[in-house]
Amino acid sequence: MKTTFIKIKIFLITTCLISTIWSCKAQTNIVNIIERCDSHPLNRDNGSLYLKDINNLYAPYLGTWKWTEGNREFTLTLLKQTKYHYNQGIDNYYEDRIVGYYTYKENGVELINTSNDNLIDSYNIKVDYRFNCRSKLSGLIKDIAKNKRYLSWFEIISPTQIRFKGKEEEDGRIQKEGMPPPPVVYVGNSFPLDMVLTKQ
């Protein structure tokens, strides 16, 4: 009888221990978004890593921003995506990120409008930002009229103004892996790569 009791006790302890280990393994490993470069691999085996905007650092950038000069007008809308699942190649993780869309007009004529973008599709998205290793909001913006990608970043000037700066990516043509080369890149850029935008 005593042997049976000990076996049952060992079985229960083992079951509890295994359950605890499994529940810990299934939990999300939450990392502050600004610590993304502190040795946190993005290719976790089960997508348990979550780069979270714990301190709500994205908040000052969200909303609609506008730049005008003479007959030109650039309007940018930035939105926060919470716990977006990035699963491409060997990378499998979740993150809070900023996405959005923009319009560009000259003489009142709309030349670019990306407001119909599918903001869930990582490849086709035209506006995609996150905090980099130096705690600056940086990312990519695509100039669909010129078929180019620009590395860009933001600097907060005041609660109602941000500075947008960009530079053309080396061989910054928009091309999907496995697809034929994109058309020839057009000279120049559609919109300025240094603008001060005002919150609307």
Side-chain angles (χ1 to χ4, degrees):
M1 185 76 171
K2 191 173 184 180
T3 307
T4 305
F5 178 73
I6 291 173
K7 286 181 181 177
I8 291 172
K9 192 173 180 180
I10 291 172
F11 173 76
L12 289 173
I13 291 171
T14 305
T15 304
C16 287
L17 186 59
I18 289 171
S19 296
T20 303
I21 290 169
W22 278 104
S23 67
C24 288
K25 191 171 176 90
Q27 289 178 354
T28 302
N29 180 20
I30 297 175
V31 174
N32 194 331
I33 194 81
I34 59 171
E35 296 170 5
R36 71 182 303 123
C37 297
D38 296 342
S39 303
H40 295 289
L42 301 180
N43 56 341
R44 301 279 175 154
D45 57 341
N46 60 357
S48 65
L49 179 65
Y50 175 19
L51 297 170
K52 184 176 175 63
D53 182 18
I54 291 172
N55 302 329
N56 208 23
L57 297 175
Y58 285 154
Y61 300 94
L62 304 179
T64 299
W65 303 85
K66 186 184 269 188
W67 168 88
T68 55
E69 184 178 89
N71 62 349
R72 300 185 298 164
E73 180 183 298
F74 179 86
T75 305
L76 175 68
T77 300
L78 299 175
L79 311 163
K80 180 177 176 179
Q81 265 183 358
T82 303
K83 206 172 183 183
Y84 174 77
H85 188 199
Y86 187 83
N87 190 3
Q88 186 173 342
I90 63 167
D91 293 334
N92 183 13
Y93 62 96
Y94 293 87
E95 72 173 331
D96 294 343
R97 67 179 187 166
I98 289 184
V99 295
Y101 52 89
Y102 69 92
T103 58
Y104 178 70
K105 297 178 183 178
E106 287 183 5
N107 297 316
V109 177
E110 191 172 80
L111 302 177
I112 303 175
N113 184 342
T114 68
S115 63
N116 289 324
D117 279 3
N118 175 1
L119 299 181
I120 302 299
D121 182 355
S122 278
Y123 170 71
N124 287 315
I125 203 163
K126 309 298 184 303
V127 177
D128 183 9
Y129 290 94
R130 55 195 42 84
F131 279 101
N132 64 21
C133 299
R134 294 176 301 282
S135 298
K136 289 189 175 185
L137 190 66
S138 64
L140 290 172
I141 189 165
K142 296 178 183 177
D143 183 345
I144 56 174
K146 300 288 187 179
N147 195 40
K148 291 183 180 180
R149 272 191 319 223
Y150 304 109
L151 298 171
S152 55
W153 53 96
F154 292 101
E155 172 192 340
I156 295 177
I157 296 172
S158 74
T160 59
Q161 287 193 313
I162 58 173
R163 183 175 198 150
F164 164 89
K165 292 193 88 170
K167 68 175 186 175
E168 188 175 336
E169 242 189 344
E170 194 173 316
D171 193 23
R173 293 181 295 169
I174 303 167
Q175 179 177 3
K176 191 168 185 177
E177 191 175 319
M179 298 298 286
V184 176
V185 177
Y186 296 100
V187 176
N189 41 287
S190 297
F191 45 85
L193 298 181
D194 191 345
M195 300 179 276
V196 173
L197 295 96
T198 303
K199 196 160 198 176
Q200 301 302 294

